[in-house]
Amino acid sequence: MQISKVQIEQVNKQIRALVNAGSFYGKKLAEAGFDSIETPEDFEKLPFSEKADLREAYPLGLMTAPEDQIVRIHSSSGTTGLPVIIPYTAKDVDDWGIMFKRCYEMAGITNRDRIQITPGYGLWTAGIGFQYGAEKLGAMVIPMGPGNTEKQLQMMMDMGSTVLCSTSSYALLLAEEIEKRGIKDKIKLKKGVIGSERWGEKMRKRIADSLGIELYDIYGLTEIYGPGIGINCPYETGMHYWDDYLYIEIIDPVTGKPVPDGEMGEVVITTLVKEGAPLIRYRTHDLSRIIPGECPCGSRFPRLDTIMGRSDDMMKIKGVNVFPSQIEEILAGFPEVSSEYQIRISHLDGKDTMRLYVETNGSVNFLELADRIAATVKGKIGFTPLVKVVEIGLLPRSEKKTKRVIDERYE
Ligand code: ZN
């Protein structure tokens, strides 16, 4: 999707603000000789920004608006090293709320809904983003935050929550608990707004079926406001994103060149009106594609496909590039296995080995199933994993993100 004239003007404003503030990226742009662009080709020459750079700007090097206008910071959950600190002005907070409200509306959620929010509140952007968007919508918020499943279920019943906001792994955990306790008839949930991790069709179906709800994928990252920059509509044809706030391009992660609409690559986001910490061409490392054409829902907002993985999740096994989503797709073809799996990669006797753990109920022959899965992986991806079939419920569930790939080669 080519950048429009209006968007180019907006980018120029962002560049000017960055340069004038002498912020981390302002200096980088000035050094690279950019003070404005005119054409889409110029835009493609602008340098990328990366999470690693953002860390270098710690603590407040990204701050681009004067400090008296900064009302809040958020921080991304860095698993290694320094976190990234993103300053927000009052307008940024408001814009984010407007985008989030649109997400709820796209999902058909209204001010008559009761929204139970289970992502965490605090430095990271999840809980508070869900909250502010819901308040802007005028819905009733039940601000639970994470964990304490007992209390979550009690409140869900007593408050008659109609919308669940959570990660996919926590939604699965709640769905399984509700089944186990036989309390489904006391639950009034109609919709789930699920964010912050990639999940497969199988898991989606399991959650939707066991809770009897519609599910919506919400997209976002702390560096770019937070969750709420895009969501799927009821037609489930990818996530509509707000191109009056963001410009999204898809690039080849190796060459850095933009790919045509419809082709898979890395999602790169440019903020168009951000004040506290504008970002130009930010490499998300999320893999997806722009969906060409119009959505049957009639929305004018363009669409990004479901996130298929992380460019840095790519595993190299016996010289073959593998994404967890490919394994997931293969497992989706086996109705005998659950939505949960775990991949362990190790280096044994000079060779890379992948062990793939999957779950099933006791009604099938474990060894025979393992052989069939191994043969399918060999046929579709090109190497043979060691498949271990275990009883359903044995693989870890998590309240946050479930870690599915464990690379023991680097531990
Ligand atoms: Zn649509």
Side-chain angles (χ1 to χ4, degrees), residues 106 233 235 237 240 295-299 303:
M106 186 63 86
C233 69
Y235 288 86
T237 57
H240 290 281
C295 180
C297 78
S299 166
R303 287 169 297 159

Side-chain angles (χ1 to χ4, degrees), residues 73-214:
I73 60 121
H74 280 292
S75 144
S76 69
S77 49
T79 42
T80 49
L82 290 169
V84 169
I85 305 286
I86 305 289
Y88 293 65
T89 65
K91 181 176 179 292
D92 293 336
V93 171
D94 202 52
D95 285 349
W96 182 21
I98 293 168
M99 286 189 273
F100 218 123
K101 175 172 178 260
R102 275 189 200 166
C103 288
Y104 285 128
E105 287 167 340
M106 186 63 86
I109 296 164
T110 72
N111 59 5
R112 303 288 297 164
D113 278 298
R114 300 179 180 180
I115 305 183
Q116 182 156 340
I117 297 174
T118 70
Y121 287 76
L123 272 177
W124 72 315
T125 48
I128 204 166
F130 281 99
Q131 167 101 22
Y132 194 42
E135 285 177 1
K136 268 204 181 301
L137 183 70
M140 185 199 293
V141 172
I142 302 136
M144 297 298 295
N148 202 346
T149 300
E150 199 67 42
K151 189 151 193 193
Q152 298 276 3
L153 294 174
Q154 196 62 51
M155 290 299 264
M156 197 178 278
M157 292 189 284
D158 296 348
M159 295 296 117
S161 308
T162 57
V163 177
L164 171 69
C165 300
S166 80
T167 60
S168 53
S169 19
Y170 197 47
L172 177 66
L173 189 148
L174 287 172
E176 290 181 339
E177 275 308 309
I178 288 167
E179 258 181 9
K180 218 185 278 172
R181 294 166 193 224
I183 51 172
K184 198 178 161 191
D185 58 330
K186 299 198 178 85
I187 301 289
K188 299 210 165 57
L189 287 182
K190 287 184 297 193
K191 291 171 193 212
V193 180
I194 308 293
S196 88
E197 78 188 313
R198 195 180 54 77
W199 51 320
E201 207 34 57
K202 201 155 202 164
M203 185 165 180
R204 163 186 279 275
K205 208 171 161 340
R206 168 114 173 83
I207 298 169
D209 290 352
S210 67
L211 290 175
I213 60 175
E214 283 169 30

